[in-house]
Amino acid sequence: MTASQRPPVREGDLLFEPSAERVSSSEMSRFISFLARYGVIDPSDYEELWAWSIRDLEGFWLAIARFFDVRWSTPPTKLLVRGNGAEGARWFAGARLNYADQVTRHAAGNVAVIAVDEASNRTEMTYGELIASAGAVAAGLRQLGVRQGDRVAAVLPNSLASVIGFLACASLGAIWSSCAPEFGAASMVDRFRQIEPRVLLAASSYRYGGRDFDLSGKLATLEEALPGLVATVVVPAGWPTGSAPRRPGPAEPRRLQPPRRVGWDSLAAAEARFDPVQVAFDHPLWILYSSGTTGLPKPIVHGHGGILLEHLKAVGLHSDLSPADRFFWFSTTGWMMWNFLLGGLLVGSTIICYDGSPVHPDPMVLWRMAADIGVTFFGTSAPFIEMCRKAGLSPRLELDLSGVRSVGSTGAPLPPEGFEWATFEIADDVAVGSVSGGTDVCTAFLHACPLLPVYAGELQCAALGAAVQAFDPDGRPLVGQVGELVVTEPMVSMPVSLWGDESGNRLHQSYFADFNGVWRHGDWVKRTERGTFVVYGRSDATLNRGGVRMGTAEFYRVVEALDGVADSLVIDTSELGREGELLLLVVPVEGESAESLAEPIRDELRRQLSPRHVPDRILGVAALPRTLNGKKVEVPLRRVLLGASPDDVVSRDSLAEPDALDAVLDVLRAAGMVSRDGSGGTG
């Protein structure tokens, strides 16, 4: 049935049911059989399994460790030391291990990584070659003075070098932190200066959208701003060049002095055994960052053991990946999904690292890559799926994508139409797994599940080990109504700390200050009667019209379904006790304008939502400001309209296209909604 022959999709429509064979052969079913075999629990369905996983947290996470054969060099003396509810827990006290050890467990001849770039250059590396290369780089870092607890910063594209560099760093017990090369220099400095790295790994240049970008200026800025650096290791353009991976060199390592600049090949010249240092369960593995649109980005520290167990569960069970899979998720090294992609190595899958634009030379480039490589799990963002849908693409008509059995989506709520497109326009028997989580925990709270059907617009389940609820303002659980997404019990991958937050006060204020002992994530969600979830956007960007609260995702679904609308952003300037204006910014497609679209938009919003949700103003803009991870800049623009200065609430270096913000501010000035100095306040 073609798209034109299908009836309009509605939220909650059944789109996919897994076959009995697919269910029985899944890793989740194997895990259930494992639990039953050892007399732990024999659940009748996923809901019963999930309820057990949050009721018996110690038993659940110990079962995950045993199922995936995690080997402790020192076993834990206590599985869980509780704090206050979800806050302050300490996991697996006394245990020692290393995340990187799990990667060494797989057959040396199996392909570990396939790296592809915009020019279709492709390089494969087996697990044996990956481990050997990581051992060589670890030896080079050690010669530069990197020790356990030191920070290694990286400005690298999604490439073989980034994967090798991370594993080398983790094996030393050093702490990894990366920015994508396209970040602005000031944005990199804002992140890395907080953590004082000892060594910087950086590309000399990168290519995006068919253009080459030199990084020498950014590297010079970083070196000037980071006085604790002993060396910058430079990865040359195009490394490796599409030939076979370079084998480790001479048996006797050459002593490296720490110059300001070191070549990657010099760093990796010494053959050395990959021998991961054993560290405490909560020893820092990496530091990720919040978006940093308002103020300095939060440096979020995750531990070796927590990420290891969480990603084994999320990648191995929820994503249903095994050594037979080829796992792709489009990401840069500045987004947590790159760290999540690495989780494929923990279960022996082949991970696909794509370096370049997802739409160059055309929007089919990633689908061609997936067909050529035989991708089985295709992960991307909701905006990419929506772009493909609105462009009228049908990859299955042009390519053999029969290997793709799962499509992952995150980064923004995926509307029902996006679920439908991904279910029917890629290949037969595709399960669409829209997931929602955050950098804060480097995983998803709401996940896919190979045992469950897929309903349009709904996320399949709360993840195992994640006690997710929707709360009303008084902290009461809701079912069938929209509320705050909260987690009421500790998760194993909650942050170990925020770097530099010795008292823990910043961590507390960021996540636990609103509900005592409960993690408040800041998303607006509904839990349905069948245990699925619908995400409606950020709760601090919620529309409140006449006492009716609605997430922005519902609004965007209506507006962006119109053929003439390429993108949109809605802002409600209401404050406590005062209803403000509802402003809609639209990016028209070619041949349309805000004026031509105004009445169709108002009519659809009135019909599908309510008269209260018809915008007071509709303004046309050429593009919308988005963060480097593709999120719409809703809250900062709302603050500008309420009187704040743009410079106080938006860091331009956190934006993918800072010029888009300036253009939007010009439109708002022309409309009299902000003053000439950029601040709002029109009453």
Side-chain angles (χ1 to χ4, degrees), residues 76 195 203 231 247 259 282 326 370 404 412 417 483 556 578 593 598 672-673 676:
I195 66 169
R247 300 301 194 276
D282 57 1
R326 295 197 158 188
V404 177
E417 295 82 0
Y556 296 139
R578 181 183 75 86
S593 66
M673 299 194 74
R676 288 291 144 191

Side-chain angles (χ1 to χ4, degrees), residues 69-85:
D69 196 21
V70 172
R71 295 175 187 168
W72 323 97
S73 59
T74 304
T77 56
K78 180 76 173 174
L79 298 184
L80 174 59
V81 179
R82 285 183 173 270
N84 176 30

Side-chain angles (χ1 to χ4, degrees), residues 241-272:
T241 58
S243 58
R246 188 177 182 278
R247 300 301 194 276
E252 290 299 319
R254 179 173 60 87
R255 183 73 180 172
L256 293 176
Q257 299 301 315
R260 198 60 175 167
R261 295 284 175 95
V262 177
W264 175 263
D265 286 341
S266 295
L267 182 80
E271 183 176 353

Side-chain angles (χ1 to χ4, degrees), residues 137 280 514:
V137 170
D514 292 274

Side-chain angles (χ1 to χ4, degrees), residues 106-151:
H106 310 297
N110 288 356
V111 178
V113 186
I114 300 176
V116 185
D117 64 18
E118 276 190 358
S120 298
N121 293 315
R122 172 174 163 180
T123 306
E124 298 187 0
M125 186 172 271
T126 66
Y127 274 90
E129 292 166 338
L130 177 63
I131 294 304
S133 295
V137 170
L141 290 173
R142 193 180 295 112
Q143 291 173 39
L144 290 174
V146 175
R147 299 292 182 265
Q148 182 174 332
D150 287 340
R151 277 74 64 206

